[in-house]
Amino acid sequence: MRYVLFATAGHTDHGKTTLVKKLTGIDTDRLPEEKKRGLTVDIGFAFLDFPQDNLRLELIDVPGHERYIRNAVAGLCCVSGVLLVVDASEGVMPQTRELLRIAKSFGIRRGVVALTKVDICDKSLLELSLREVEDLLKENTLSLPIVKVSAVTGEGLGELKEELRKQANEAFEDRSKKPLRIVVDSAFIVKGWGTVVRGNCTQGKVKKGERVVIEPIGKTTRVRNIQNHGRFVSQIWSESRVALNLPDLDPKEVRRGFWVLKEGTYTKTNRLLGQSQEGVPVGKRLHLFFGMKLVEGIFSKVGEDVFLLKLKEEVVAYRGDRALVLKSSGEVVGSFEVLHPAPKRLSKKFIRENLHLLKDRYEEYLLRELLGEGLSQDLFLKLTAEHLKPENLKEAVKVGSRFFHREYLQRIRNSVEEFIRGELKKGRVGVPKAEVLRRFQLREEILDHLLRNSKEFVAIDDLITDLRKSDIESLPAFKRLKELLRDGIRDEKELLSLGVSEDVIRLAVRRRIVHRLEGPLVASDEFIKKTVEKLRRLGNGFSLREAKEALGLTRKYLIPLLEYLDYLGFTRREGNLRVWKRHGEMDQRM
């Protein structure tokens, strides 16, 4: 089953709840106050199934009265589309405009407009209302189908359902592979089951038995059971209505606006970088909705439309999330789109210099911001709810599991090599790795990467020394290598398993103390020289069988060894024999 979340919105008493009940058979007015007063006070929930598309349209009925605007915002914050309801006899009202503005602020571009109560509206008034709706949509650069309906006579209901089906299919986006995020609207006790938390799953999925985290309180608990509209299910998917049975949780700890998440897939933050087109007031305390959570915050301007936001409380946010900005009175000021949920460098100079990257090339912005820390897949997932694509990292070098900016690595390489060079000139045999790491505040994998690619320096026994000049044969690591190679040829992997480092082997090969044969085999220089002496005793040439008998080696070692002697210029192949080259023909590769 696929799920899509829509909200029903409109001015009070324009017939939203009646229309939803007629479409779905569900009365979304559940509170006694709502029953008594005949208006929607808080958000309600229903659903409409389209079996032919394997699709369930989840409907959140939001209040239309201006006094309950915050509850309306809570309903609109996490949907993909809107069913905008307009009474044909009254036309577009102030709350109609406000609710559509809020929906647009949350990035909602899909939906249907239902012109209701057409059965009691004369033709001229109906046409006037239709033109008002068309003008309203045009003002907001929205293109939504308009359907004339009557919940009493049933006129237009079939057409409305069909338009909802089309819009829901177009709005559907598979977010099941994203990290789990459920926006909580209520928590309560069910006798015999314990705590139940209800909300809207905006992305990801969760299975029965999995562990989840309740934020911002950081409480971890296990999911005992899951329901979707009263039906037990084994798992729930993105954009569905969900009730989670979390018996280890105290419902008094949970409030509307909390999040249900999975460990290690998100970041909590109270400082964000974002974009607002409306020009929100700076330096003043404002209210913001992140999901259903209402928090206070202050804006500080960074660029023309980019702001640094400091919140009074922590929120869970990803890049691309939208928040609605309100005054304390409830008046909507504008919206805020998150560009960076957890900035580490708060210098306005740095942010301004890299604004183009922040907006359009976020991965590179992070590389420049993180520098020596590096960008990991885990961090990128926590910031964006997306997996990092290496092809977007044009300026990056992967070191271990992290990506670093190429310029940073080059700059730190120059500084490190200059420092080591200076220390060796003072007569030191080498510089301890720990000293370099401490001095430059480096991650160890970065220093190892720099040394692996250095043509000048190498680390032996945690001591960085000159690759070409220093007296290395007295170092314990080289004595160990020579001892292991004393009896002949060894597999390099075997040497590594015996505690000899790659750097030691690389430096030994560089100094011609050790020779690397074909494949992963290595042999000491002393062994190569003794081998040449033994084979010369066989005369001007020798066969493979004669070499095998003289050296006592298996084919695994013998063939690479003889080919290496060819490479060095001692011998050449002539038929089934190898013959010695005259002195003038030999390459001086020893």
Side-chain angles (χ1 to χ4, degrees), residues 117-297:
K117 305 183 184 180
V118 296
D119 56 311
I120 57 172
C121 180
D122 64 57
K123 188 175 180 181
S124 60
L125 202 55
L126 178 61
E127 289 303 313
L128 180 61
S129 294
L130 180 60
R131 284 197 298 272
E132 284 184 356
V133 170
E134 288 172 342
D135 289 343
L136 177 64
L137 294 175
K138 193 174 181 179
E139 288 170 20
N140 287 275
T141 62
L142 292 172
S143 178
L144 305 182
I146 305 169
V147 181
K148 303 167 189 175
V149 296
S150 168
V152 175
T153 66
E155 179 185 346
L157 287 180
E159 184 184 349
L160 178 59
K161 282 186 179 181
E162 180 59 22
E163 289 295 348
L164 285 170
R165 184 182 76 83
K166 288 178 182 176
Q167 291 292 314
N169 273 297
E170 289 178 11
F172 173 77
E173 179 186 345
D174 185 4
R175 300 192 186 101
S176 60
K177 293 181 181 178
K178 291 177 179 284
L180 175 70
R181 179 163 58 171
I182 296 172
V183 181
V184 175
D185 55 66
S186 60
F188 47 89
I189 290 283
V190 175
K191 191 174 180 180
W193 294 96
T195 298
V196 172
V197 170
R198 289 195 308 191
N200 301 310
C201 181
T202 60
Q203 63 184 40
K205 58 186 175 183
V206 62
K207 295 179 182 179
K208 180 179 175 180
E210 287 187 324
R211 298 194 70 79
V212 293
V213 186
I214 313 299
E215 290 292 3
I217 58 175
K219 186 73 178 285
T220 302
T221 183
R222 186 178 66 84
V223 178
R224 180 185 286 176
N225 285 291
I226 306 173
Q227 280 192 350
N228 173 245
H229 293 287
R231 182 174 62 91
F232 283 102
V233 293
S234 60
Q235 68 178 340
I236 207 71
W237 305 81
S238 60
E239 297 237 2
S240 58
R241 183 71 185 153
V242 59
L244 298 179
N245 181 203
L246 307 174
D248 299 336
L249 193 65
D250 183 350
K252 294 177 182 177
E253 294 181 282
V254 183
R255 297 196 299 275
R256 174 173 287 183
F258 280 21
W259 295 272
V260 179
L261 310 138
K262 288 184 181 177
E263 206 166 13
T265 62
Y266 62 91
T267 182
K268 286 195 295 185
T269 178
N270 65 351
R271 280 183 170 83
L272 308 96
L273 281 171
Q275 193 169 15
S276 177
Q277 302 293 344
E278 293 91 347
V280 294
V282 297
K284 295 182 179 180
R285 194 168 292 279
L286 299 167
H287 290 175
L288 297 98
F289 269 99
F290 280 89
M292 292 185 183
K293 185 171 178 60
L294 184 64
V295 294
E296 290 184 1

Side-chain angles (χ1 to χ4, degrees), residues 521 544-545 548 553-561:
L521 302 178
L544 184 64
R545 182 180 59 78
K548 186 175 184 298
L553 295 174
T554 64
R555 291 181 66 90
K556 175 184 175 181
Y557 297 117
L558 181 62
I559 301 298
L561 176 60

Side-chain angles (χ1 to χ4, degrees), residues 391-418:
E391 59 266 28
N392 293 336
L393 296 168
K394 307 296 184 187
E395 299 300 320
V397 175
K398 190 175 184 182
V399 179
S401 62
R402 295 171 183 262
F403 293 89
F404 297 87
H405 200 284
R406 196 181 307 277
E407 286 181 9
Y408 164 75
L409 289 178
Q410 187 57 54
R411 189 168 64 250
I412 203 68
R413 178 197 304 278
N414 293 340
S415 298
V416 167
E417 290 192 346
E418 184 180 352

Side-chain angles (χ1 to χ4, degrees), residues 458-461 477-478 481 500-509:
V458 69
I460 306 298
D461 288 342
F478 274 91
L481 176 61
V500 180
S501 74
E502 289 183 36
D503 285 331
V504 169
I505 298 171
R506 181 167 69 96
L507 184 53
V509 171

Side-chain angles (χ1 to χ4, degrees), residues 273 340 342-348 350-351 354 365 368-371:
L273 281 171
H340 192 357
K344 297 228 171 175
R345 293 184 67 174
L346 300 177
S347 159
K348 289 187 178 181
F350 171 80
I351 297 168
N354 295 281
Y365 182 91
R368 291 181 181 275
E369 181 187 58
L370 295 167
L371 289 180

